[in-house]
Amino acid sequence: KKWSVRAAAIFPNSYSVGMSNIGFITLFSQMHNYFQLFPQRFFRNSDVSIEGKMPLSAFPIIASSIAYEMDFLNLVKMLRRNEIPVNSEARKNTILIVGGAAPTINPYPIAHIADAIFLGQGENFIEEILRIVAENPPGLSPKNELLDALAEIPGVWVPAIDEKIPMRAIPDDSVPPFSTIVSSFAALPNMALVQIQRGCPFRCPFCATPIIYNPFFNYPADVIIAQLEKWKGKIFRAGLVGSAIADHLELGEIIDYLNSRKIETYTSSLRLDRLKSKIVSALKLSRQKSLTFAPETGSEKLKKIIGKKVELDDIIRVSRQLEPSEIKLYYILGIPGETDDDAVAIADDVKKISAALPKTHIVISANAFIPKKGTIWGNEKMESHKVLLNRFKLISGQLSGFANIRLDVNYKRRNRLQWPLSCGERDVADAMATAKSTSELANTLREIGWNI
């Protein structure tokens, strides 16, 4: 038997974000390993595929990587826009498979929408999913038999077969995920990304990373370098991805390798309490132009509660040593126990950093606390819309007029939908499957008790 079946790889967000997402890039690359599949990419606003200019409705195989809860809604909009039935039972010759961080945290919102949901990560499991679909494509094989086979793969949940959500898949640790495609139009342009660790050794009460990706594991430096060597002579920027970069025992060797190849190094946010002087020296040689820190709060009280003490003096000291043109600082507002004074403490810290680093561009990312299923604060409530607006306004007023500060407030009323999408169960699944629009979904969720 030989055939060619159109297979859609969907990232229901922008092209720039999707092409900086290792999970999506891995999915699309793996599709090319099967001669039966003709893979093509779609993004949030794509009416036709990037490669073949074909409508999504022409694809019997649809696989989507979803990194953020709000992208559940974008996926539903894409299906509706292409007149593809949203409810899985209504799709007879089309299969929709969904994976990524958002469904791994909580697959319930798409339980009536996706035919199969992959929980966890791992190239070996993605390969097995794609092999089964390639050898038994819908239209040529009965869909129920295809779903039966997929349900046998570790981490794959087929809601039509089993009501119980399976354990997430634990990946094979032999090869770190990395970029096989580098785009000039990605959010991280012309940058090859490599994941240098999985999971996180810390348990910040708001963070889902240790819940969905642990046990914590550092990929060996030689294996990481082997992946980067595949781009030898073709890249000048590399991004090291991980939740606890400073806790990689061989980070210095990895950065030394990149320095020897004259490749600029970029890292995920750094925990300054774990950053050794040797690493700071290696980073200085790497000509890193941007540094990222996640203090989360400016309040000493809340720092103790979170268990993440990023000191103001350390941010200033390391920034002076590395001399980046830009530093990014991530903060969360509305965390349990926070007061207006705690919010003002964030602005106070930022003003001190601005005064100490007058020539450095400082980007503040201010975000609302959204509970995540399975985390220590997973059963907490999201702060009210009125209170959050007031706290963002407090910070904005304090930081206006500073030439080297840019404040990005990442909060709108619509963002509150992330809470039920992250923490809800069957009630949210039913609402997602029946609502004809985002506003109707929001109204339904309010009726059943969600303060959104």
Side-chain angles (χ1 to χ4, degrees):
K1 293 180 182 179
K2 289 200 174 181
W3 52 74
S4 179
V5 180
R6 296 186 185 110
I10 291 182
F11 192 83
N13 205 301
S14 66
Y15 176 94
S16 63
V17 174
M19 293 311 295
S20 292
N21 184 279
I22 296 179
F24 175 71
I25 293 172
T26 299
L27 168 66
F28 184 59
S29 299
Q30 290 282 24
M31 283 180 164
H32 288 82
N33 294 338
Y34 300 88
F35 70 87
Q36 303 98 326
L37 301 181
F38 178 23
Q40 300 179 52
R41 290 170 295 169
F42 288 81
F43 298 92
R44 179 179 58 204
N45 296 321
S46 305
D47 289 322
V48 294
S49 61
I50 299 293
E51 284 72 26
K53 307 302 179 187
M54 298 176 182
L56 187 60
S57 57
F59 290 73
I61 299 170
I62 302 174
S64 181
S65 178
I66 301 183
Y68 315 103
E69 289 90 354
M70 296 300 283
D71 288 348
F72 287 143
L73 306 181
N74 292 334
L75 175 62
V76 170
K77 286 182 180 179
M78 292 179 73
L79 295 175
R80 287 206 177 100
R81 199 167 67 228
N82 285 274
E83 299 183 344
I84 298 171
V86 171
N87 198 300
S88 58
E89 293 180 355
R91 295 190 301 268
K92 302 304 179 185
N93 294 314
T94 302
I95 186 167
L96 170 61
I97 303 169
V98 173
T104 298
I105 293 170
N106 185 18
Y108 276 120
I110 50 170
H112 301 323
I113 298 168
D115 295 293
I117 305 169
F118 177 54
L119 312 176
Q121 61 176 171
E123 285 192 25
N124 51 323
F125 299 112
I126 295 172
E127 286 175 357
E128 184 65 7
I129 292 169
L130 293 175
R131 182 190 66 78
I132 290 173
V133 175
E135 294 177 358
N136 307 277
L140 294 179
S141 299
K143 186 173 178 179
N144 63 318
E145 293 182 10
L146 174 55
L147 293 177
D148 285 339
L150 290 174
E152 296 298 317
I153 300 173
V156 174
W157 183 36
V158 180
I161 295 175
D162 193 351
E163 286 196 3
K164 185 179 179 182
I165 297 174
M167 297 289 290
R168 62 181 173 81
I170 304 296
D172 172 12
D173 287 322
S174 59
V175 179
F178 75 108
S179 298
T180 52
I181 305 171
V182 171
S183 171
S184 299
F185 302 101
L188 303 171
N190 301 316
M191 187 183 298
L193 303 173
V194 60
Q195 187 174 324
I196 71 169
Q197 57 195 187
R198 187 195 67 220
C200 184
F202 305 102
R203 286 295 301 273
C204 297
F206 53 82
C207 183
T209 296
I211 305 301
I212 61 178
Y213 295 130
N214 274 10
F216 177 67
F217 176 82
N218 282 320
Y219 291 97
D222 60 338
V223 177
I224 294 167
I225 290 170
Q227 297 297 79
L228 291 166
E229 272 289 297
K230 295 177 181 179
W231 286 104
K232 187 175 181 180
K234 298 178 182 177
I235 59 167
F236 60 90
R237 307 170 84 202
L240 306 181
V241 180
S243 60
I245 294 291
D247 278 80
H248 196 297
L249 299 178
E250 298 177 298
L251 180 60
E253 289 89 316
I254 299 167
I255 297 174
D256 286 343
Y257 160 80
L258 293 170
N259 288 341
S260 71
R261 296 290 190 273
K262 293 182 170 49
I263 298 172
E264 294 178 8
T265 303
Y266 291 79
T267 63
S268 301
S269 65
L270 297 165
R271 282 189 67 125
L272 294 171
D273 56 337
R274 317 288 287 189
L275 200 58
K276 298 178 176 63
S277 58
K278 177 184 175 183
I279 303 303
V280 174
S281 298
L283 283 171
K284 186 172 179 63
L285 291 173
S286 73
R287 305 181 303 283
Q288 185 163 337
K289 296 175 183 176
S290 178
L291 287 178
T292 302
F293 307 108
E296 317 297 4
T297 180
S299 162
E300 293 301 320
K301 173 192 71 179
L302 295 180
K303 286 178 184 179
K304 290 178 181 177
I305 293 173
I306 292 172
K308 186 174 184 181
K309 198 166 177 61
V310 178
E311 297 290 355
L312 196 68
D313 290 345
D314 288 335
I315 293 176
I316 295 169
R317 174 180 55 80
V318 171
S319 298
R320 281 174 171 166
Q321 285 178 293
L322 298 182
E323 299 178 330
S325 57
E326 177 183 270
I327 62 171
K328 299 177 182 177
L329 301 172
Y330 286 84
Y331 292 96
I332 303 174
L333 281 92
I335 61 180
E338 183 185 78
T339 66
D340 288 353
D341 288 342
D342 296 323
V344 172
I346 292 174
D348 291 341
D349 275 5
V350 172
K351 285 188 282 188
K352 289 173 184 175
I353 294 170
S354 170
L357 305 169
K359 295 182 180 179
T360 304
H361 185 50
I362 301 168
V363 179
I364 308 302
S365 178
N367 308 275
F369 165 68
I370 299 170
K372 303 287 185 182
K373 183 186 281 289
T375 62
I376 295 170
W377 282 345
N379 293 323
E380 295 285 346
K381 294 183 185 296
M382 189 174 179
E383 185 59 90
S384 72
H385 180 59
K386 181 179 179 180
V387 169
L388 283 172
L389 284 182
N390 182 59
R391 289 188 186 157
F392 283 116
K393 185 178 179 180
L394 281 173
I395 291 181
S396 181
Q398 291 270 332
L399 297 181
S400 63
F402 287 81
N404 66 332
I405 296 176
R406 188 184 87 209
L407 174 64
D408 293 335
V409 173
N410 301 308
Y411 177 74
K412 294 180 180 177
R413 184 69 180 255
R414 186 172 182 270
N415 296 131
R416 300 185 68 81
L417 283 168
Q418 285 182 257
W419 180 20
L421 292 177
S422 173
C423 296
E425 299 193 10
R426 295 287 179 187
D427 55 347
V428 176
D430 294 338
M432 281 283 288
T434 57
K436 299 295 188 294
S437 66
T438 301
S439 59
E440 184 179 331
L441 172 64
N443 289 333
T444 301
L445 292 172
R446 289 188 192 105
E447 287 172 4
I448 60 179
W450 291 93
N451 179 17
I452 57 171

